[in-house]
Amino acid sequence: MTDERGDPATAQRHPRGLLDTSAVIDLDLLSEDQLPLEIAISAITIAELASGPHATDDPQERAARMERLAAAERTFDQLHFDDAAARAYGRVYAALLTVGRKARGRRALDMLIAATALANGLPLYTCNPDDFDGLTDLLDVVGIEPVPSASSPDPA
């Protein structure tokens, strides 16, 4: 299958999408054909990335996390958690309650990201689609999988 320009690589790719924090962290391990043509991220993802360097005692890991934050800030459109996202969060919260889940702890940040996607009419790309169970009636949750790099150790 090809798109309107005859390009098979973009045939099923969304024109624009919101990456959650898991997708931003694993971005180097994702193939381009899994991603939207234009990538946006939420200000909530920037907040999560900003906390990352403080969550490790390893200086090399801290430096890598700081670089990931800086790269995300300079590379992607950042969608703010605005009034529309705040209202959308009410819909997200209600959908979670319907399936017996609650937006607490780490999940609360994921749900704020989902509300940002919903408010902006964007599909949500994630390496952890199960984190968004119960929301598929509200928004398009696109599960993506990291591809191990050639330099990754063999898991066997």
Side-chain angles (χ1 to χ4, degrees):
M1 181 175 192
T2 61
D3 70 2
E4 61 276 359
R5 296 181 314 263
D7 185 355
T10 61
Q12 296 181 357
R13 292 173 65 189
H14 290 101
R16 190 164 191 237
L18 182 75
L19 270 59
D20 80 342
T21 308
S22 70
V24 173
I25 289 170
D26 287 340
L27 193 59
D28 290 343
L29 301 175
L30 299 172
S31 65
E32 188 175 304
D33 64 340
Q34 294 184 83
L35 300 172
L37 297 172
E38 182 183 337
I39 294 171
I41 63 173
S42 169
I44 305 301
T45 290
I46 293 297
E48 286 191 282
L49 293 175
S51 69
H54 305 288
T56 183
D57 292 328
D58 182 309
Q60 291 181 340
E61 180 63 22
R62 183 178 300 113
R65 291 177 183 192
M66 290 172 67
E67 177 52 36
R68 184 180 299 123
L69 169 62
E73 288 176 323
R74 72 175 170 265
T75 303
F76 301 115
D77 288 339
Q78 188 180 136
L79 300 177
H80 298 282
F81 192 82
D82 58 11
D83 292 345
R87 286 189 300 279
Y89 180 76
R91 294 175 59 203
V92 167
Y93 192 87
L96 287 178
L97 289 178
T98 301
V99 296
R101 299 179 79 195
K102 294 183 180 178
R104 293 203 176 132
R106 185 187 61 81
R107 184 178 299 145
L109 295 175
D110 288 339
M111 296 309 108
L112 294 172
I113 293 169
T116 303
L118 180 60
N120 286 277
L122 296 174
L124 176 63
Y125 286 74
T126 180
C127 297
N128 303 311
D130 292 346
D131 289 352
F132 301 94
D133 281 350
L135 301 183
T136 54
D137 288 343
L138 290 179
L139 73 150
D140 186 6
V141 176
V142 181
I144 51 179
E145 292 193 29
V147 179
S149 68
S151 62
S152 294
D154 186 359

